[in-house]
Amino acid sequence: MRRAGLSLLLAVSAVAPLRAETLNSALLRAYHNSPVINSSRAGVRALDEKVPQALSSMRPRASGNAFLGVQENRMVSKQRDIPLTDSTLEGPVKSIQSGGSVPRSAAVSIEQPIFDGFKALNNTRMAETGVFAGRERLRLTEQRVLFGAASAYMNVLRDTAALRLQESNVSVLAEQLRQTRERYVAGQITLTDIAQAEARLAAGQSLASQARATLEASIGAYRQTIGVEPKKLAPGAPVDSLIPKSREDAERIALAEHPVILAALHDADAADIDIKVIEADFMPKLSVVGSAFTQTDVSGIYNRNVGGYIGGRLNVPLYEGGLTSSQVREAKELAGQRRLDVDVARADVLALIRANWGALQAAKTQIAAAQSQIAAAERALYGVREEAKAGQRTTLDILNAQQELLNARIGLIIAQRERVVASYAVLSAMGRLTTQTLGLDPMGYDPSIHFEQVRDLWGGTDTPDAGR
């Protein structure tokens, strides 16, 4: 009877060929095709660019500028450089010069920072820490997608089996109604029995219609999560081999590996580094600057100036109105908040472990109870039918016994689904619901590839193709 009970949920795949979709293949399909995961990966790649941006502040900066124009010059000068006794000349002598020119200039400037109060160094460390936090959040997104895929897969199996049970129940109730009418014709029962059988058949048809609608909703969720229509699904199995024997061991693993906790720790580290970044504004800045230039007809006609210079630039902050001091205080408060967020994350993960562990143990118990309930309900239905033949039971007794057996079988289907999903939930709460742990894709997506490709880039706008 135990084997018969377990076969209820697996009956969906009884007619499936050997190449039916398996739970592992569905999870792998969701992992590779999920737009949610792909979006998160793009977000992490964007975070990677924060590192070269931080490094750029200590790299040389070069700029060039040029000027080209047209100007018209007219110079008028007055001279009275003649003897005062010469009465033939009146007033000063005017000298007029005019002409056009094309003023032009070009310059190239270079600045190399030497010391910035370690701001670039700390900015780089903070950016790298942000990348690590982003990777953990990506891992959390992958876990959620994989768990959603497992739930969607098992929901389709559950609802398909439930629909078949409801449809089978409608057939049984229809046969029961036929037999009831025959017994009425034979004078063994009354019209009341026929009405009871008809009412139960109508209720069964309604439940079958409801089960069909539930299955359609589950199919839609499957298509959304995994990316294809569910056609022929193989049985799903729990991942007990990947779960430790005790809840305490699961909690220790979760505290060390869960992405929510690790992301919160990285956020706390980044907040501590941010304090040092802001404190760098209190320190002097030193850089080497140089320039080369040429100017033609800029300050006058027919002149040219070519030159260059190199020197050091020192900037010593004295007082900024209290802005930097306020920013440091703000950063310290935020760092304290991030450290408290770590404690919140740990408490949330531990609560999640306890809830999912309890659900897994309850599902195991429910399966055993449902199997016993089915066996007892089958015996009860057989006995009620035999007693009804002897006139010791009514039609309503038969209908009630059939309903109890149906409820027990549906309860077993639900418990089997919960058994599988709860095992994945525990694995997810431990932080180990990954394609590597499941043995689906040992290589998987490696976010460090893109990080190494862009970290030391000094230019270029094309995004690397590798690591996608």
Side-chain angles (χ1 to χ4, degrees):
M1 188 57 62
R2 175 182 294 269
R3 182 176 300 174
L6 286 172
S7 66
L8 286 175
L9 184 56
L10 309 185
V12 178
S13 60
V15 296
L18 295 178
R19 293 185 180 180
E21 180 86 278
T22 65
L23 178 53
N24 283 345
S25 65
L27 294 178
L28 189 59
R29 191 190 301 274
Y31 176 77
H32 286 303
N33 300 331
S34 171
V36 177
I37 292 180
N38 291 333
S39 173
S40 296
R41 289 172 180 171
V44 174
R45 291 194 295 269
L47 282 177
D48 292 342
E49 297 292 347
K50 297 294 184 182
V51 176
Q53 290 171 18
L55 290 170
S56 68
S57 62
M58 286 300 288
R59 293 170 180 167
R61 301 183 200 50
S63 63
N65 61 78
F67 172 79
L68 177 64
V70 177
Q71 69 177 1
E72 185 70 24
N73 295 316
R74 186 172 185 271
M75 184 175 65
V76 178
S77 62
K78 295 180 179 181
Q79 294 182 353
R80 195 163 184 173
D81 201 9
I82 55 176
L84 297 176
T85 59
D86 189 353
S87 60
T88 61
L89 296 177
E90 296 180 358
V93 178
K94 293 184 179 180
S95 176
I96 301 175
Q97 294 181 349
S98 63
S101 66
V102 181
R104 54 198 180 274
S105 67
V108 176
S109 301
I110 299 177
E111 180 176 1
Q112 172 60 61
I114 301 300
F115 180 74
D116 66 347
F118 307 106
K119 188 168 188 174
L121 175 64
N122 288 315
N123 259 329
T124 303
R125 291 174 55 206
M126 186 171 67
E128 291 175 340
T129 304
V131 169
F132 299 147
R135 291 179 185 177
E136 293 302 327
R137 292 189 172 92
L138 172 61
R139 195 159 66 90
L140 177 63
T141 299
E142 292 174 347
Q143 286 201 159
R144 287 174 174 171
V145 169
L146 290 175
F147 179 72
S151 299
Y153 188 98
M154 296 307 300
N155 287 349
V156 172
L157 284 178
R158 176 200 62 194
D159 296 338
T160 302
L163 175 59
R164 291 187 177 181
L165 282 177
Q166 293 291 356
E167 291 175 341
S168 176
N169 182 57
V170 170
S171 299
V172 171
L173 291 174
E175 176 61 21
Q176 180 66 39
L177 177 59
R178 186 190 64 79
Q179 293 178 3
T180 302
R181 286 171 176 167
E182 289 181 351
R183 293 177 64 192
Y184 172 75
V185 173
Q188 298 177 357
I189 55 177
T190 66
L191 287 174
T192 301
D193 297 278
I194 295 178
Q196 290 172 340
E198 290 175 340
R200 195 59 61 90
L201 175 59
Q205 291 171 339
S206 175
L207 291 174
S209 177
Q210 182 179 350
R212 190 173 296 105
T214 302
L215 176 59
E216 288 298 324
S218 296
I219 291 174
Y222 184 101
R223 175 66 179 83
Q224 179 185 24
T225 305
I226 299 177
V228 295
E229 291 287 333
K231 294 181 179 179
K232 297 174 182 178
L233 305 184
V239 286
D240 292 345
S241 61
L242 304 177
I243 299 175
K245 300 299 181 181
S246 67
R247 190 197 70 208
E248 289 74 16
D249 290 338
E251 290 176 349
R252 282 192 291 270
I253 294 172
L255 290 175
E257 300 182 15
H258 199 283
V260 168
I261 296 176
L262 297 182
L265 287 171
H266 288 308
D267 288 341
D269 292 340
D272 289 335
I273 299 173
D274 189 41
I275 298 174
K276 298 179 180 179
V277 171
I278 300 174
E279 288 176 340
D281 290 338
F282 288 125
M283 305 180 70
K285 311 294 188 298
L286 176 64
S287 61
V288 175
V289 295
S291 178
F293 61 88
T294 176
Q295 297 175 338
T296 302
D297 293 347
V298 173
S299 58
I301 303 176
Y302 310 124
N303 69 81
R304 185 179 182 189
N305 183 21
V306 178
Y309 68 85
I310 186 171
R313 176 181 294 158
L314 178 65
N315 179 20
V316 181
L318 298 178
Y319 182 66
E320 76 303 327
L323 174 62
T324 305
S325 300
S326 176
Q327 290 174 336
V328 170
R329 295 194 302 270
E330 178 188 19
K332 288 181 178 179
E333 293 295 341
L334 290 175
Q337 180 186 19
R338 295 294 178 265
R339 286 190 291 271
L340 293 174
D341 288 342
V342 175
D343 295 334
V344 173
R346 287 178 177 141
D348 290 342
V349 168
L350 289 178
L352 188 62
I353 282 284
R354 286 176 177 265
N356 291 330
W357 189 273
L360 177 60
Q361 304 309 312
K364 294 177 180 179
T365 303
Q366 289 169 359
I367 289 177
Q371 291 169 345
S372 299
Q373 184 181 2
I374 289 174
E378 287 175 344
R379 293 194 304 269
L381 178 59
Y382 175 79
V384 168
R385 284 175 174 170
E386 292 300 316
E387 292 173 358
K389 293 177 182 179
Q392 298 177 350
R393 292 285 184 171
T394 64
T395 301
L396 182 60
D397 293 330
I398 298 175
L399 295 173
N400 289 338
Q402 289 177 176
Q403 186 64 43
E404 289 179 3
L405 177 59
L406 174 65
N407 293 340
R409 287 173 173 169
I410 292 178
L412 177 59
I413 291 173
I414 295 174
Q416 288 173 335
R417 181 266 181 196
E418 295 299 324
R419 171 79 171 82
V420 175
V421 172
S423 68
Y424 279 89
V426 172
L427 194 64
S428 176
M430 292 166 51
R432 288 188 173 181
L433 184 54
T434 64
T435 55
Q436 291 83 0
T437 303
L438 296 173
L440 305 180
D441 188 0
M443 298 301 294
Y445 175 81
D446 187 359
S448 65
I449 295 177
H450 180 269
F451 177 80
E452 296 298 333
Q453 288 175 328
V454 303
R455 186 184 191 281
D456 296 317
L457 288 180
W458 283 51
T461 58
D462 294 333
T463 57
D465 293 330
R468 291 181 180 274

